Amino acid sequence: MVPEPLTRLWRSEREIALRAQLGDFRRGSGDPTSRFTHEGTVTRAAQTPEGVGTLHLVCWAGESEVHAQAWGPGAQWLLESVPALLGEEDDPSGFVPHHDAVAQAWRRFPHWRVPRSGLVLDALVPAIIEQKVTGQEAFAGYRRLVRRFGTPAPGPFPGLMAPPTPSGWAAIPSWAWLQASVDGARSQTVVRAAGYAGRLEEGASVSLAEAHRRLRALPGVGVWTAAEVAQRALGDPDSVSFGDYHVAKDIGWALTGTPVDDEGLAVLLEPYRGHRYRVQQLLGLAGQRRPRRGARLAPRTHLPTRPR
């Protein structure tokens, strides 16, 4: 029998669009830790400082009232995190669009705010797995590892899984990483991060500069990975995904009609310093992406070949 959930009713002064607000937390359409519906609900399972928990959010289109339910040892922690998760701590004052595309995106999504989950490892592990591989490959690998080594999510959501605990990530054998198409460099970085989980999680309660320093001090974590974490866990409105295969090209195309590299992206976004990630995300929400050409890359395998 499923226990009764803890509940919370939270109202914002702005419209809350759950799919736009939390879409970046879902790692592919088959992410076993997240469920999104077109009816205005989002369900997430996570490992919190108080233990595993499931958070179920309901907010109807065009409304600002969020109904939250939570199950598990981490239920109370998750309910308390709802305003920050939905961007209530973000301050867009001082943000001024300097390009028509940015102004149009801001008009379309004036209520979007930078989220802050407060869960560093929850954002860090999938970001590491996504390093230098296709999204298809990364999502499949993360999905396989969570389903095999994660924790069934508490609550009435069959098949929903929470990711492994830090000790769970550290205990995954090398061959299981390879079966999930995660090479040794990335798996070692995850295991190393799990060993410093406590120190990394403290990054949610220190300055952004210190949190970035702790992330970047971890071998295998560079600018891109730290930014991916800061965008989700730390509520950083300025962390751009430099080093991403698509971001610089897409933003360059949206703002100038021509794709640019990271150096060109830095120049384009300099007028937005302090809000550079806000620009990246608003353009993404507005669908401002350059036309894609060519066939998709086939997923690679990191399994050792058998002797012939």
Side-chain angles (χ1 to χ4, degrees), residues 203-252:
S205 58
V206 300
S207 69
L208 283 172
E210 174 61 16
H212 276 274
R213 188 195 67 78
R214 294 186 186 190
L215 285 166
R216 294 293 306 280
L218 192 71
V221 173
V223 173
W224 180 86
T225 306
E228 293 289 304
V229 175
Q231 294 163 6
R232 296 166 174 82
L234 305 178
D236 188 348
D238 199 47
S239 282
V240 184
S241 300
F242 289 115
D244 191 274
Y245 183 79
H246 295 293
V247 168
K249 299 181 180 70
D250 287 345
I251 294 178

Side-chain angles (χ1 to χ4, degrees), residues 49-171:
E50 304 299 326
V52 66
T54 300
L55 179 64
H56 180 69
L57 302 174
V58 179
C59 184
W60 308 121
E63 296 190 0
S64 59
E65 187 174 87
V66 179
H67 299 259
Q69 296 176 301
W71 293 259
Q76 188 61 47
W77 191 96
L78 287 169
L79 289 179
E80 291 173 358
S81 77
V82 167
L85 181 67
L86 297 179
E88 199 68 6
E89 296 179 356
D90 178 37
D91 181 8
S93 62
F95 172 61
V96 178
H98 297 279
H99 298 84
D100 288 343
V102 177
Q104 292 171 17
W106 187 226
R107 284 195 294 269
R108 285 185 61 189
F109 299 94
H111 307 297
W112 181 84
R113 297 293 183 269
V114 181
R116 184 181 183 278
S117 73
L119 299 174
V120 175
L121 202 68
D122 180 79
L124 177 57
V125 171
I128 293 170
I129 292 174
E130 291 169 19
Q131 291 174 349
K132 299 179 180 179
V133 295
T134 66
Q136 178 189 25
E137 180 180 340
F139 296 153
Y142 181 69
R143 181 168 63 243
R144 182 168 187 166
L145 290 166
V146 170
R147 284 178 175 167
R148 188 166 187 176
F149 299 101
T151 304
F157 304 99
L160 190 71
M161 299 289 292
T165 61
S167 60
W169 283 116

